[in-house]
Amino acid sequence: MGMNSYSIFDSHAHYNHPLFEGNGVTILNTLFSQGIVNNVLIPAITYESNFLRDGFPKGVYFGVGIHPKCASNECWDEEKKRSIEDLCDLPETVAVKTGLDFSKTRMTKAQKENQISSLRYMVDLANRKGLPLILHVRNAAEETIEILKDNPLKVN
């Protein structure tokens, strides 16, 4: 396949996900070399996924943070906050991933509160670092809007 006359920026792909069985870098190198994709944004899913960055080609960018379902059982201690904040200073970090997902039928009040706390923290982080948000919202639009009203995003 020859070089295309257009360029694709894949704005949301998880090439560092375990389903790729460690082949995400190889797949992206092929897509890039064939001119199929020119840029990719890989948003975090779990806390640990923020650190799966090794070997990706130039043109791969990252969204730090956490998927709201993962935030249900995650607490942001000072060490984790510091490590995420350090990642924000890397040139390949271009966004913050956050949101609320209340689609789980048996979510406890504590799990909802963890998601809300994480969302508030990530909005503050995005504002302090001058980064846009990637919002994952499911069955929680009203709650998300209220939190964003109380914690408005700075416009850069």
Side-chain angles (χ1 to χ4, degrees), residues 23-92:
N23 294 315
V25 170
T26 302
I27 292 167
L28 274 178
N29 280 326
T30 300
L31 292 172
F32 279 33
S33 69
Q34 293 181 358
I36 297 168
V37 174
N38 299 82
N39 295 278
V40 172
L41 173 59
I42 301 177
I45 301 173
T46 63
Y47 167 75
E48 292 78 17
S49 72
N50 286 283
F51 306 97
L52 301 176
R53 297 175 169 221
D54 292 344
F56 284 101
K58 186 177 181 202
V60 175
Y61 302 94
F62 296 91
V64 300
I66 193 165
H67 186 287
K69 289 270 186 159
C70 297
S72 296
N73 299 308
E74 184 72 63
C75 292
W76 289 98
D77 63 30
E78 291 308 309
E79 182 180 341
K80 285 183 177 179
K81 285 180 180 179
R82 209 169 20 260
S83 65
I84 291 293
E85 291 182 20
D86 287 346
L87 289 176
C88 288
D89 296 330
L90 298 175
E92 65 269 18

Side-chain angles (χ1 to χ4, degrees), residues 7-20:
S7 93
I8 295 175
F9 190 121
D10 188 343
S11 64
H12 198 116
H14 298 286
Y15 287 96
N16 57 359
H17 193 281
L19 288 173
F20 280 99

